[in-house]
Amino acid sequence: MYVPSHFEESRPQALRDLIAEYPLGVLVTHGGDGLDANHLPFELDPGMGEHGVLRAHVARGNPVWHSVADGDEVLVVFRAEEAYISPNWYPSKHETHRQVPTWNYKVVHAHGRITIHDDEKYVRSVVARLTRKHEEGQPMPWKMGDAPRDYIDAMLKAIVGIEVEITRMVGKFKLGQNREVRDRAGAAEALIGQGDIALGRAMLEAKP
């Protein structure tokens, strides 16, 4: 990924926070059938290894777990808020007319080594933790024990665990840091006004 210095985000906690808030990642592999991409919700365990470990699961029928070997290098891409930026939102445009459209966004690329876990105990723990995390805001959180045991056992046999030991993380937060303060603020306020509140606030908070 091309990352100009003014868009680089290297703070480990900022990268982890993005993954935690936007856990649906794109797992990119290069196996025997060539490049493949799978969209999976990941759990990040920051306490494992130097950079943390990502855990997920795939359907047993998904060929990805056959096409890679333990230790293969993979990439997981996480994307947060993003939006089109109109040059009309820059005050300087109305003075010089020297502005063009762009797109602002926040992404993290997690590079790592994959391990496959065809293990019922492993997938049960991954599913249980993912469920607890994403059900916690519900009025009556669903838990695995709400379903019949034989049904859950059958569902777990239909999935395979994925683990990625992160070797490095690359963050790109393209938030208009290369613009004049007034132009970045103008674009941020326009985004907030159209409902892209998270990205607009991120732009206002970004340091040039």
Side-chain angles (χ1 to χ4, degrees):
M1 176 171 62
Y2 172 57
V3 188
S5 59
H6 40 267
F7 298 145
E8 181 181 7
E9 178 54 77
S10 58
R11 294 172 298 166
Q13 192 58 52
L15 305 182
R16 294 183 192 123
D17 287 347
L18 186 147
I19 293 172
E21 190 173 355
Y22 298 89
L24 184 67
V26 183
L27 171 66
V28 181
T29 58
H30 192 188
D33 297 326
L35 284 169
D36 191 17
N38 284 270
H39 301 255
L40 311 170
F42 281 89
E43 170 201 26
L44 172 63
D45 183 347
M48 293 289 291
E50 184 178 356
H51 302 285
V53 166
L54 294 166
R55 300 188 182 97
H57 57 83
V58 297
R60 186 169 292 277
N62 188 329
V64 66
W65 70 282
H66 289 297
S67 67
V68 295
D70 286 354
D72 281 357
E73 292 187 358
V74 298
L75 170 67
V76 187
V77 179
F78 297 92
R79 192 189 76 183
E81 54 269 14
E82 46 79 25
Y84 171 80
I85 306 297
S86 170
N88 288 322
W89 297 342
Y90 300 136
S92 67
K93 179 266 182 188
H94 302 283
E95 298 171 0
T96 67
H97 300 285
R98 293 179 177 272
Q99 295 289 358
V100 295
T102 191
W103 209 283
N104 282 1
Y105 54 88
K106 295 167 64 176
V107 293
V108 172
H109 286 193
H111 299 257
R113 292 183 290 266
I114 196 168
T115 300
I116 303 300
H117 290 274
D118 189 8
D119 172 358
E120 189 270 349
K121 183 177 179 181
Y122 182 91
V123 296
R124 183 181 291 272
S125 64
V126 169
V127 171
R129 287 193 301 272
L130 280 172
T131 301
R132 278 198 301 271
K133 177 176 176 55
H134 297 294
E135 284 283 330
E136 63 186 5
Q138 297 296 319
M140 296 181 62
W142 183 89
K143 56 187 183 298
M144 294 172 70
D146 290 347
R149 183 180 181 87
D150 59 343
Y151 173 78
I152 292 295
D153 289 347
M155 292 293 99
L156 293 174
K157 288 176 182 176
I159 60 178
V160 176
I162 298 284
E163 184 171 282
V164 178
E165 178 191 359
I166 301 173
T167 54
R168 65 187 177 100
M169 287 197 288
V170 181
K172 183 175 183 179
F173 289 13
K174 184 175 179 292
L175 301 170
Q177 299 95 320
N178 57 330
R179 305 285 179 183
E180 292 182 40
V181 172
R182 60 173 180 158
D183 284 344
R184 187 168 74 248
E189 294 297 344
L191 285 175
I192 292 171
Q194 70 179 21
D196 292 310
I197 297 170
L199 184 60
R201 286 178 177 169
M203 290 173 61
L204 290 173
E205 295 167 2
K207 295 188 182 346

